[in-house]
Amino acid sequence: VQLQASGGGLVQAGGSLRLSCAASGFTFSGYVMGWFRQAPGKEREFVAAISWNGGSAFYADSVKGRFTVSRDNAKNAVYLQMNSLKPEDTAVYYCAAATRVVRDSGGYVYWGQGTLVTVSS
């Protein structure tokens, strides 16, 4: 099983980034996909999740209206479009797979290695 996150980088406040996560080694369309983030010195926190067929999406209050999660089951990929970025969005972002919709990181069975997003003020 592999989850390869990419697309992180340095961006100014107010800018945008699009994260991608390529999955392999499991039946991608059978899993809920989530994004989490971990800032330095803080616990990992839920950012967004998307249902098996992409029909439902869920967001943390802190990113609602700014971030959009999507998936392409034909490409075994999930994406996180991040707009209006703020310095407090700076973190390592992880993609993960779960068998049900859940916001708790403990409910995710597969994890990627993370990609760093840095938002400068």
Side-chain angles (χ1 to χ4, degrees), residues 60-96:
D61 288 343
S62 58
V63 307
K64 201 172 294 183
R66 300 187 298 121
F67 290 11
T68 303
V69 60
S70 61
R71 67 188 295 162
D72 185 340
N73 286 347
K75 295 183 178 180
N76 284 2
V78 61
Y79 309 98
L80 186 67
Q81 177 66 43
M82 305 186 296
N83 299 329
S84 302
L85 283 161
K86 305 175 181 180
E88 51 263 43
D89 294 319
T90 295
V92 177
Y93 284 72
Y94 300 87
C95 59

Side-chain angles (χ1 to χ4, degrees), residues 3-59:
L3 290 171
Q4 184 74 35
S6 61
L10 175 64
V11 63
Q12 287 190 331
S16 298
L17 280 176
R18 188 191 193 215
L19 304 184
S20 299
C21 176
S24 62
F26 64 102
T27 306
F28 181 76
S29 60
Y31 284 77
V32 170
M33 296 301 299
W35 287 95
F36 288 77
R37 67 186 182 186
Q38 187 166 17
K42 295 189 176 181
E43 293 188 353
R44 189 171 297 188
E45 65 174 358
F46 171 80
V47 175
I50 188 166
S51 61
W52 303 265
N53 63 357
S56 298
F58 309 86
Y59 298 94

